[in-house]
Amino acid sequence: VMGNAMKRFTNEIDLKLETLASKVNAKVSKDRPDYPERLRTFEERRIDWIDHTINKAIIFQPNFESKGVNEEKWTFSVAAWYFEGTTDLRFSEDLVKEKPFESIANQLDRLLIDAVDRLAKINMVELDRLNNERWKRY
């Protein structure tokens, strides 16, 4: 389905993601493997793990716009969330927003370190605070 023209994630990039994932006991997923084939029209990478009941993720994906996926602009973000019973806490932050793929790939080492540092600081108390901040904005 995906032609070679779309192959932006090199082995070198994937190796960096896999190396980091093994350090934080995480799983790397590529291009949304759970999605039906026809919906997998873009490249994406995610690193997901659970830290003391909190789900954490580092996400490297193209921009989603009203007209569809814009692969000219890419975002590198972190997310943390916790759902249990009626508790629904979530947080996400873009470390790089709407930049060309190469500009993110070129600073990937630093971005991965920044992402892990940012997520390491998020415990339940902090996630609750960040979630409340999110609601105040609307």
Side-chain angles (χ1 to χ4, degrees), residues 13-28 46-49 57-59 76 78 108-117 119:
I13 291 172
D14 280 340
L15 185 62
K16 288 177 181 186
L17 300 176
E18 295 286 352
T19 302
L20 175 81
S22 66
K23 285 183 187 152
V24 294
N25 197 17
K27 178 171 98 45
V28 174
R46 278 180 68 114
I47 301 174
D48 282 275
W49 70 101
I58 298 170
I59 305 161
F76 186 92
V78 294
L108 191 58
D109 296 331
R110 184 184 59 76
L111 285 169
L112 289 169
I113 292 167
D114 290 353
V116 169
D117 286 351
L119 289 169

Side-chain angles (χ1 to χ4, degrees), residues 63-82:
N63 265 42
F64 299 100
E65 299 174 355
S66 56
K67 293 191 279 298
V69 179
N70 180 350
E71 294 194 63
E72 300 302 307
K73 296 177 183 171
W74 289 72
T75 298
F76 186 92
S77 56
V78 294
W81 67 98
Y82 174 85

